[in-house]
Amino acid sequence: MAKIYYDSDADLGALKDKTIVFLGFGNQGAAQAQNLRASGIPNDKIIVANRDDHYAADAKSKGFNVEHDFAKAAEVADVLFLLVPDQVQPRIFNGQFSPKLKDSVTIVVASGYNVFYNLLHFKASQDVVMVAPRMIGSSVRTLYEKGKGFPCFISVEQNGSGNALTTTLALSRAIGATKAGAIASSVREETAMDLFAEQALWPNIIALFREAYSVLKEVGCSDEALVYEMWMSKEPAEIFEAAAEEGFIEQLKHHSTVSQYGQLSGALKIDGTAIRAHFKEILHNQVLNGKFQKEFSKIEADLEKEGDENPINQLYTKSAESELGQGEKRVRARLGLS
Ligand code: NDP
């Protein structure tokens, strides 16, 4: 059983007199910095390191001290939250932060990716920890403001100081992560689950919807009916909401008897052997062995490109060619939604 840490396990006193630097003031950075300050960490002990642009302006407008010179921010950091996109972290951290950081700094990642694949360079004396919210930044902030917590995975990956867990728990509490219980995890577990969901589970769900759309279209179902039936009614969103609240299987009891019988008996009839083998292949030979990371690193430089030269845009164009993509486009245009 994974250990779960609560506010009572964490002592904010462990952060006393520490200078805390947030590299990045985007989705997670803005939310976590504001939560941390609202938890009583003095504003003059918090620095937002950001290029001089609208993110920096946002941080300034919220009263934060902003440092555009990353070397200066690195030199004073006792704690460094790495909250820029995963694909840019190695370049910025290894190039601009790592050479200037204190030997005693605590480096905090919000995702396991770069640490699991050894893409960041640390000194053995430094603490490397993960505090990884399972929520988008806006929810991290609004749940904190409502006095609620949010699900979060935490771990100590390198305990240079010998006190890394104490610091991790204090930081987790300060951003509001131990209120609902922070789950002990690791960068391996977080990366495995995250990338598995992204590369195995959801691609299959997307493909199931795509193929289901075409099969139903073949028997005369209209685009309008299909788009509403399959997702625009928000029924799938409601089902997942109920699954989180009441249980993955238990929520089925809200459905009609015909539906319950169809779903339960249908799922049991599907032999999972092939899909399990497919999933294992992706998990072991794509995620855990680093194959995907190497593939992704080859296209990273192109992600800044505009239009058709950007590999993600190419994938969007290709995906839009499916019957589902075309049908949805027609329906949204007709309803004035695009
Ligand atoms: P964002 O995309 O919101 O980060 C934007 C910030 O990164 C801005 O401050 C931006 O400033 C800065 N940034 C972007 N590109 C560069 C660059 N090339 N050089 C310097 N700064 C740059 O990131 P997220 O908050 O989404 O992600 C941060 C971390 O949190 C990641 O590790 C992610 O995996 C993790 N995470 C994200 C979640 C989410 O829901 N988004 C959920 C849980 C964890 P500027 O462009 O001005 O330089």
Side-chain angles (χ1 to χ4, degrees), residues 24-25 27-28 50-51 53 55 84-86 89 92 110-111 133 136:
F25 200 74
N27 193 322
Q28 289 294 327
N50 211 100
R51 297 185 290 198
D53 70 358
Y55 288 106
V84 293
D86 292 325
Q89 283 179 19
I92 302 177
S111 128
I136 57 169

Side-chain angles (χ1 to χ4, degrees), residues 233-246 251 254-255:
S233 64
K234 300 195 180 173
E235 193 190 16
E238 283 170 6
I239 289 172
F240 272 94
E241 181 84 34
E245 296 293 332
E246 297 167 36
Q251 58 79 23
H254 291 295
H255 301 225

